[in-house]
Amino acid sequence: MKSLSCLGLPHICAIDGYSGKIVQFVSMPVKNPVQIYQHLFRPILVEYGLFDQIRVDHHKEWTLSLCVQESLAYLRHSVQKPPHRQGSSTMSSYPLLVGQLLQLAVLRLWSKMVQKYLGTWHPTQEVGRISMEPLYKVGVRLFTSVWKCHNIPGKGIPNERMANARTRRLPSEIIPDAHFATSQFVDMGGHLTLESHFGNDPLAGRNGLIAERNRQFHQ
C-alpha cells in the first residue's frame, strides 16, 4: 500500500504484488488511520480476503490497518512470514510507477476540463485539494478499469492472475468495523487521531446555515 499526492490531495493506493492488480484506491483531504482502514483496508479484506503480508512505509496512517492485520494473522495461508513489512517509501518502485501513471491520467483530465471551462488556471494547493477530489475519483475509476485488463510484461493480465492469488477468504462477521477496531486499538494502549479536519468552515458559528447545508447535502 502506497501514499501518493496529486495537487496537494493525498491518495492511498493498494496493489496486489502477485497480480499487479489495483485492489483499492482512495483519496481524502487529510490522511487519517481510521478513514484509511474504513475505506481502504477493510474493503480489501471483505472483497479479496486476508493477504499473507502487506507492505507499507513507516508513516503513522497505517497503524490501525496493521493492528487488524496482526490480529487476523493466524488465519493466513503462510503464518511463517511476518504479517506486515514496513520500509522506506521507495521500497517498491511498482506502486510508485502505477501511481505516477494514474496521476498523469488525472492531470490530463484536469487540464482538458480547465481549458474547456476556465480557459486559464493558476492553481493553489487549497483549490487543488477541494476541486481535485471528485475529478480524481472519476480518473481512478477509468484508469483502474483499463489497468486490470491490460497485459503487464512479465506478469500477465492482473484480473486473470488475481484469480490465483493466495488470500484467505474471511467470514464478514470476524472482520471488525472501524468503530470496533478503533476501540480495540485504544484499549491496547494505542493512540489515534479519530477525526482529521481540513481548512476552516466558512459557516462556523452559524448553526442555522450549517443545519441547512447538512440538510441539502444529505437529501
Side-chain angles (χ1 to χ4, degrees), residues 16-27:
D16 173 48
Y18 171 75
S19 67
K21 181 175 181 177
I22 301 172
V23 293
Q24 192 72 359
F25 209 116
V26 297
S27 59

Side-chain angles (χ1 to χ4, degrees), residues 1 3 12 36 56-57 59-66:
M1 295 190 288
S3 294
I12 301 91
I36 288 175
V56 299
D57 57 31
H59 295 166
K60 294 181 179 180
E61 63 261 27
W62 310 114
T63 50
L64 186 58
S65 298
L66 296 183

Side-chain angles (χ1 to χ4, degrees), residues 110-122 127 131:
W110 177 257
S111 177
K112 290 180 179 179
M113 186 186 74
V114 168
Q115 290 174 10
K116 182 175 181 179
Y117 295 105
L118 301 179
T120 58
W121 176 55
H122 301 285
V127 172
S131 53

Side-chain angles (χ1 to χ4, degrees), residues 65-191:
S65 298
L66 296 183
C67 178
V68 173
Q69 173 77 3
E70 286 187 0
S71 70
L72 300 173
Y74 69 98
L75 296 170
R76 297 172 299 155
H77 284 292
S78 175
V79 296
Q80 287 75 31
K81 64 176 63 175
H84 58 77
R85 178 182 169 191
Q86 290 183 270
S88 68
S89 59
T90 57
M91 178 175 62
S92 174
S93 60
Y94 184 70
L96 185 61
L97 171 62
V98 174
Q100 289 172 340
L101 290 173
L102 177 55
Q103 289 181 24
L104 178 61
V106 173
L107 285 172
R108 286 180 176 176
L109 284 176
W110 177 257
S111 177
K112 290 180 179 179
M113 186 186 74
V114 168
Q115 290 174 10
K116 182 175 181 179
Y117 295 105
L118 301 179
T120 58
W121 176 55
H122 301 285
T124 64
Q125 188 177 38
E126 288 74 17
V127 172
R129 286 190 181 190
I130 295 170
S131 53
M132 278 295 291
E133 187 167 7
L135 180 66
Y136 214 97
K137 290 179 180 178
V138 174
V140 165
R141 187 167 62 249
L142 294 174
F143 181 86
T144 54
S145 65
V146 173
W147 181 267
K148 66 185 180 182
C149 297
H150 93 293
N151 185 56
I152 302 175
K155 280 185 175 290
I157 298 175
N159 257 5
E160 295 179 357
R161 288 177 61 83
M162 190 67 199
N164 299 317
R166 281 174 52 86
T167 58
R168 175 75 71 183
R169 295 287 181 171
L170 300 174
S172 59
E173 59 268 17
I174 72 170
I175 303 174
D177 60 23
H179 178 74
F180 184 80
T182 300
S183 298
Q184 271 195 323
F185 187 82
V186 172
D187 289 344
M188 293 167 58
H191 299 278

Side-chain angles (χ1 to χ4, degrees), residues 201-216:
D201 188 348
L203 301 182
R206 306 169 71 178
N207 295 333
L209 291 177
I210 291 175
E212 176 63 16
R213 178 184 62 188
N214 292 338
R215 184 188 67 79
Q216 292 192 26

